Amino acid sequence: MTQKQEQLSKNQQIVLSIIEKAKGPLKAYSILYNVQKRGIKAPLQVYRALEKLIEIGKIHKIESKNAFIACKNSDCEISKATAFSICNNCEHVKEIKNTKLSKYLSNFEDNSGMKYKKYNLEFFGLCKDCKLKQ
Amino acid sequence: MTQKQEQLSKNQQIVLSIIEKAKGPLKAYSILYNVQKRGIKAPLQVYRALEKLIEIGKIHKIESKNAFIACKNSDCEISKATAFSICNNCEHVKEIKNTKLSKYLSNFEDNSGMKYKKYNLEFFGLCKDCKLKQ
DNA sequence: ATAACAAACGTTATATTATAACAAATTAAG
DNA sequence: CTTAATTTGTTATAATATAACGTTTGTTAT
C-alpha cells in the first residue's frame, strides 16, 4: 500500500495558499510578512516551503523577478517546462498555456543535436491594458 | 556630425574584458574580486558597468544563475532575444544561436493574440560531455 | 573655447534575496 | 514500536543588488 506523499505539510499549505490567493507573483519576503501571523517567523521556513512547492509543480519561480506564482497550468509536467508573459509597465505576469509552443520547445534541438526536457521562457512586452493606455 | 556613443568607459571596458575572457558566466562579486587590482572597489561600480553592457547587448544575464556572460551572437538585436542551454551537472552555459528558434519566438502570438519583442529562454539538461560520463 | 547638459564615477551605507548549520519534533512505513 | 525520512524552529550569516550623495568627465551647440 505504498502511497505517494501527496499531503502538503502545514507550512507548505500556508505558503501555497498565500501564493494562490495573490493576483500576481509574490516575493519571498512579502510572503514571509504575510504569514507571520500564522506562526512562520523566519525566511528559511518560507524558502523551504517554496522549494518543495516548486519541486512538485504547484508554483513556479519567475527568475527575472525573483518572485513566485501559482501554477495555473494543470498539464505542465511537474514544472519542467514553463513560459510566462511579463508586462514591462504594470508588471503583470501570466503563465502561457500553449500546446504548440510547449511542443516546439520540448522538441527543439540545438545545433549540436541536443534536446532539453526542462526550460523556462519569459516574454516581455506591454500587456493589452497598458498598450491601450499609452 | 552627431556621433553615436560607441566608446565604452574605462570601468565598462574593464568589466567587459573580464567577462569576455571567462570560460563561463561570471557572478557580479566574482567580477568585483577580479577587478579590484584595476581600481574598481565597490559593487556599484560593477553593477553600473553590467547594466550598461547589458543595455548595449555586449553581455547577457543568466537569470537562473545571477551571472553574466559575453554575447557571442553578433546578430542578437541589442540583446532583446536570448536563449541559452545550461548543463545541470557541470553548469556549462552556451548561448543558442538558431535562426529558426529566434524567428519562432519573435513571431509567437499568445492565446490573446499578443506578440513580444523581447524574451529570455533558458534550457536545462546535460551537456554532451556530462551525458557521456554518466 | 566654453557653457550647458548628460553620462559616468567614487563612496558610504543599506536593502533585498537566499542559505548554512544544528537540534528538536513530526510523520510514514516496516 | 522503531527506524528512517521529512519537516520544523532558530540563529546567524552569505550573496546579490540598490539608494543617495556629490564629483568628475565627456559631448554638443554656440
Side-chain angles (χ1 to χ4, degrees):
Chain A
M1 213 76 86
T2 309
Q3 195 185 336
K4 272 269 174 60
Q5 172 219 327
E6 291 295 342
Q7 202 71 2
L8 294 177
S9 77
K10 188 186 57 141
N11 287 358
Q12 289 158 10
Q13 280 172 32
I14 294 173
V15 170
L16 178 58
S17 79
I18 296 282
I19 296 177
E20 282 180 335
K21 271 184 227 145
K23 288 177 202 156
L26 292 180
K27 303 231 163 195
Y29 277 72
S30 134
I31 293 168
L32 175 59
Y33 177 80
N34 274 285
V35 297
Q36 278 177 333
K37 53 199 110 165
R38 296 218 238 166
I40 295 182
K41 287 174 192 161
L44 200 40
Q45 297 174 280
V46 172
Y47 279 103
R48 284 198 282 227
L50 290 172
E51 184 182 29
K52 185 70 179 186
L53 293 169
I54 288 172
E55 194 184 314
I56 63 177
K58 291 286 189 186
I59 65 171
H60 305 301
K61 181 173 186 180
I62 310 296
E63 294 285 357
S64 62
K65 292 185 162 310
N66 297 317
F68 303 86
I69 193 172
C71 177
K72 301 274 170 47
N73 205 342
S74 59
D75 60 356
C76 72
E77 303 163 12
I78 314 289
S79 82
K80 287 202 167 50
T82 51
F84 303 93
S85 74
I86 301 171
C87 177
N88 282 324
N89 186 242
C90 71
E91 313 244 303
H92 181 80
V93 175
K94 194 160 60 88
E95 185 165 1
I96 294 177
K97 181 173 180 157
N98 183 296
T99 314
K100 276 190 190 169
L101 176 65
S102 59
K103 275 193 182 157
Y104 182 88
L105 292 176
S106 297
N107 293 322
F108 174 77
E109 287 188 16
D110 71 15
N111 300 352
S112 69
M114 176 83 191
K115 275 193 182 186
Y116 305 90
K117 305 175 212 108
K118 183 173 184 306
Y119 62 78
N120 179 51
L121 170 58
E122 299 181 7
F123 280 112
F124 302 89
L126 287 181
C127 71
K128 284 201 164 176
D129 287 355
C130 288
K131 214 163 201 170
L132 290 176
K133 280 177 201 157
Q134 299 226 333
Chain B
M1 215 72 87
T2 308
Q3 196 184 334
K4 268 271 174 60
Q5 174 218 326
E6 291 295 340
Q7 202 72 3
L8 293 177
S9 77
K10 188 185 58 140
N11 286 0
Q12 289 159 10
Q13 281 172 31
I14 294 172
V15 170
L16 179 57
S17 79
I18 297 282
I19 296 177
E20 282 179 337
K21 271 183 229 144
K23 287 179 203 152
L26 292 181
K27 304 229 165 198
Y29 276 74
S30 137
I31 294 168
L32 176 59
Y33 178 79
N34 274 286
V35 298
Q36 277 175 335
K37 51 198 110 161
R38 295 218 239 165
I40 294 182
K41 288 174 190 161
L44 199 40
Q45 297 174 279
V46 172
Y47 279 104
R48 284 199 280 226
L50 290 172
E51 183 182 29
K52 184 69 179 188
L53 293 169
I54 289 172
E55 195 185 312
I56 63 177
K58 292 285 189 187
I59 65 171
H60 305 300
K61 181 173 187 182
I62 309 296
E63 293 285 356
S64 63
K65 292 185 162 308
N66 297 318
F68 303 86
I69 193 172
C71 177
K72 300 275 170 47
N73 204 342
S74 59
D75 60 356
C76 74
E77 304 162 11
I78 314 289
S79 83
K80 288 203 164 49
T82 52
F84 304 94
S85 75
I86 302 171
C87 177
N88 282 324
N89 186 242
C90 71
E91 312 243 305
H92 180 80
V93 174
K94 194 160 62 84
E95 185 165 1
I96 294 177
K97 181 173 181 159
N98 183 296
T99 314
K100 276 190 191 170
L101 175 66
S102 58
K103 273 193 185 160
Y104 182 88
L105 291 175
S106 297
N107 293 322
F108 174 76
E109 287 188 15
D110 71 13
N111 300 352
S112 68
M114 175 85 192
K115 276 194 177 185
Y116 304 90
K117 306 174 211 108
K118 183 173 185 303
Y119 63 78
N120 180 53
L121 170 58
E122 298 181 7
F123 280 111
F124 303 89
L126 287 180
C127 72
K128 285 199 161 175
D129 286 357
C130 289
K131 214 162 202 170
L132 289 175
K133 280 175 200 157
Q134 299 226 335

